[in-house]
Amino acid sequence: VGPEFLSKLGEVVGPQSLVTEPAGKWVYGYDNSRRHAEPAAVAFAASAEQVRRVAALCCQEGVSLVARGRGTGTTGGAVPIGGGVVLALERMNRILGTQADDRLMVVEPGVTNEEVQREAARHGFFWPPDPTSAAFCTIGGNLALNSAGPRAVKYGTVRENVLGLRAVTGAGEEIKTGVYTTKGVVGYDLTRLIVGSEGTLAVITEAVLKLTPLPEAKRTVRAIYSDVSAAARAVARIMARPVTPCALEFMDARAIDLVRLHGAADLPAHAGAMLMIEVDGPGACVDQAAGLVMEAATDEGLIEIAQARTQAQLDELWEARKALSPALRHVAPKKINEDVVVPVSRIPELMAGLEDLARRHAVTIVNFGHAGNGNIHVNLLVDPDDSAQMGRAERCLSDVFDLVLKLRGTLSGEHGVGIEKREFVQREIDPVTLALMGRIKAQFDPRGILNPGKLLPRQAAGAATASPDS
Ligand SMILES: Cc1cc2nc3c(=O)[nH]c(=O)nc-3n(C[C@H](O)[C@H](O)[C@H](O)COP(=O)(O)OP(=O)(O)OC[C@H]3O[C@@H](n4cnc5c(N)ncnc54)[C@H](O)[C@@H]3O)c2cc1C
């Protein structure tokens, strides 16, 4: 990237919106994976037209372009490992309109998830995707990673909650995908192709979000089991009943210990696993729904089951659940945090297999997550200064992925592939399918400028594009 390119880039976004000095660029070079790479420049886009012109310029000059929301992603997706331009979308943060009668909201990509929820709530709605990072992460990041949280078990992920997009391809062309309606079957479904594509196919410049009315009431149940397999059996039973919880969260014994540290002192000492089950709906129905779920949650390994009685108890439970990930990072700064998914009926086998792998590799594993989707956060606690332990952890992780795939699961439910899981993708997706994905990528991004080095394994990404891939 030379001065001439930077000067053209400055003409597109304006000199005030171009950062080329090292200190300013540094902070746009990392994400929550704690990886870092320095871009040649950071450009702040103010409009879809600027995004289009930046992409066209990068395509013409063969310069990498990495879209960035707020850098809270955990797999290195926003880290500019190929150098080039980081296109920061945080200033495109307007809510363009809310149409309550049509249950939709149109937004720019830089608005945060929390701002969307606040605006939706003013109209009596919510947007179902609810990552724990909602206060900071952007809708663009949510869409690019198909991010979700506890509510996905009932309301789905981003893919089920977005109607259409405006986006800019790697050739600098603006495209419009999807509809403003809740049905529509004209053309290929590019909306759901771009969602989850991690900024490798197009830069999203606008999204039509599908809203859901806020429930009138909620009930939260805490169920404690003697062991993990009893809790896992209960999850499969709950999910087979007609009342689908709006959250079905799981914690193993080590995660419960962390919750105790967070102040939940009333958890029994011999608790081997815990479920947090939430139901929502009309005020007149939720008590009955909670009763049905409690019945389904009853297993011979059940130690205790109760509804949260006060708002304070409820807040404490959710705070503890949401504090788990940061608390673990405090215990083990270099924890390996995976977000594997298996079919719900295979959770008991997953849990038994993880226990076995932890023993065999002598690695501490802490598990919690969105059990209703079979999406378990598997955390390998490691000390980066202990090279023998790091080696064991890497072998253990490889075995964890094999176990998940053997159970017909998938490597990631919400964090995405990014850099971290890129070379494992071919264990899940066969070569013919991967080659087709490479050709699709080449159609959207003929010079391979968009987020090189992410998502598709090297051969698939390289085969179909003249990628500046590292
Ligand atoms: C404390 C904490 C809790 C978290 N909890 C959850 C959770 O519960 N569930 C969950 O799913 N994730 C969670 N995450 C991960 C992260 O917050 C989400 O993945 C989030 O969606 C990322 O948004 P972002 O704006 O920070 O995106 P970034 O990190 O900036 O980017 C993520 C990816 O999206 C691409 N991208 C960003 N904007 C665009 C755009 N406009 N067009 C095309 N591509 C784009 C980037 O290139 C990159 O590949 C958590 C992270 C933290 C730090």
Side-chain angles (χ1 to χ4, degrees):
V1 171
E4 204 181 316
F5 172 85
L6 293 177
S7 140
K8 285 184 193 165
L9 189 59
E11 277 167 30
V12 174
V13 293
Q16 304 301 326
S17 298
L18 183 69
V19 174
T20 53
E21 40 82 30
K25 288 188 300 186
W26 200 92
V27 285
Y28 287 85
Y30 72 96
D31 71 1
N32 192 46
S33 69
R34 302 203 169 177
R35 287 177 184 252
H36 186 265
E38 192 170 312
V42 181
F44 294 85
S47 68
E49 177 55 14
Q50 282 188 357
V51 172
R52 194 195 62 70
R53 288 177 62 199
V54 170
L57 178 64
C58 288
C59 177
Q60 191 188 325
E61 305 287 333
V63 173
S64 307
L65 180 61
V66 181
R68 182 185 174 89
R70 294 284 287 270
T72 67
T74 59
T75 54
V79 178
I81 50 172
V85 175
V86 164
L87 185 61
L89 294 148
E90 62 193 55
R91 295 186 189 166
M92 286 179 67
N93 61 355
R94 287 176 306 158
I95 293 176
L96 300 172
T98 305
Q99 290 167 226
D101 288 351
D102 297 323
R103 296 188 178 196
L104 64 83
M105 185 189 291
V106 184
V107 300
E108 289 187 325
V111 65
T112 64
N113 182 298
E114 190 172 86
E115 283 159 344
V116 162
Q117 306 298 356
R118 218 178 290 132
E119 167 66 8
R122 287 200 316 112
H123 298 268
F125 290 91
F126 67 104
W127 189 53
D130 56 340
T132 311
S133 50
F136 311 101
C137 63
T138 65
I139 295 300
N142 294 175
L143 293 160
L145 289 174
N146 195 30
S147 303
R151 289 199 290 239
V153 62
K154 179 168 179 179
Y155 295 103
T157 63
V158 169
R159 283 205 172 104
E160 288 76 40
N161 290 286
V162 61
L163 299 174
L165 300 173
R166 277 178 191 272
V168 171
T169 67
E173 294 167 334
E174 188 179 53
I175 56 169
K176 188 175 163 295
T177 74
V179 288
Y180 291 88
T181 54
T182 49
K183 290 183 88 177
V185 68
V186 176
Y188 296 127
D189 189 349
L190 299 184
T191 307
R192 261 144 289 273
L193 177 59
I194 293 172
V195 170
S197 66
E198 305 190 11
T200 64
L201 296 182
V203 179
I204 298 160
T205 54
E206 194 176 298
V208 184
L209 308 179
K210 179 175 153 190
L211 303 179
T212 300
L214 283 164
E216 261 176 32
K218 275 188 190 169
R219 295 288 181 271
T220 305
V221 172
R222 188 180 86 174
I224 293 167
Y225 298 87
S226 55
D227 58 87
V228 161
S229 51
R233 285 193 302 271
V235 169
R237 243 190 343 266
I238 294 166
M239 291 307 292
R241 298 284 173 97
V243 173
T244 302
C246 61
L248 178 43
E249 297 291 297
F250 161 84
M251 294 178 205
D252 73 3
R254 290 201 181 84
I256 292 173
D257 285 342
L258 283 171
V259 172
R260 271 200 203 90
L261 287 179
H262 198 263
D266 64 332
L267 286 161
H270 52 303
M274 177 162 99
L275 294 181
M276 283 173 61
I277 316 161
E278 198 155 82
V279 290
D280 64 1
C285 304
V286 280
D287 284 325
Q288 194 191 6
L292 289 171
V293 158
M294 287 169 85
E295 197 185 290
T298 303
D299 182 276
E300 57 193 20
L302 181 71
I303 296 175
E304 170 187 306
I305 187 162
Q307 271 192 48
R309 285 174 296 279
T310 62
Q311 188 60 41
Q313 269 181 343
L314 193 63
D315 293 346
E316 186 187 288
L317 266 178
W318 277 112
E319 259 173 47
R321 165 64 187 87
K322 290 185 174 181
L324 267 177
S325 200
L328 270 176
R329 184 158 262 185
H330 195 64
V331 178
K334 276 288 282 188
K335 69 170 173 149
I336 299 173
N337 170 15
E338 295 303 333
D339 68 318
V340 299
V341 195
V342 294
V344 169
S345 66
R346 314 297 294 267
I347 296 176
E349 286 165 84
L350 174 68
M351 288 302 152
L354 289 172
E355 253 179 65
D356 181 47
L357 289 179
R359 219 177 6 253
R360 273 205 281 132
H361 292 282
V363 170
T364 303
I365 303 186
V366 180
N367 302 299
F368 61 91
H370 317 301
N373 292 109
N375 185 190
I376 306 294
H377 292 285
V378 176
N379 294 272
L380 278 61
L381 305 195
V382 285
D383 173 358
D385 297 329
D386 182 339
S387 61
Q389 194 191 57
M390 287 300 282
R392 288 200 307 276
E394 270 161 34
R395 288 188 292 279
C396 181
L397 182 63
S398 173
D399 287 351
V400 169
F401 288 152
D402 284 341
L403 169 67
V404 166
L405 295 175
K406 198 178 86 190
L407 298 174
R408 293 200 158 170
T410 176
L411 302 181
S412 175
E414 52 188 27
H415 292 167
V417 173
I419 308 167
E420 304 278 337
K421 277 190 281 283
R422 189 182 179 211
E423 295 310 326
F424 291 106
V425 168
Q426 49 218 348
R427 292 198 199 177
E428 179 168 333
I429 304 178
D430 64 81
V432 176
T433 311
L434 269 178
L436 175 62
M437 289 185 182
R439 294 197 298 276
I440 291 172
K441 157 92 174 156
Q443 291 303 310
F444 276 84
D445 183 21
R447 294 202 69 187
I449 58 159
L450 290 182
N451 216 358
K454 317 288 170 63
L455 202 158
L456 287 181
R458 229 167 284 267
Q459 293 121 307
T465 61
S467 169
D469 199 1
S470 61

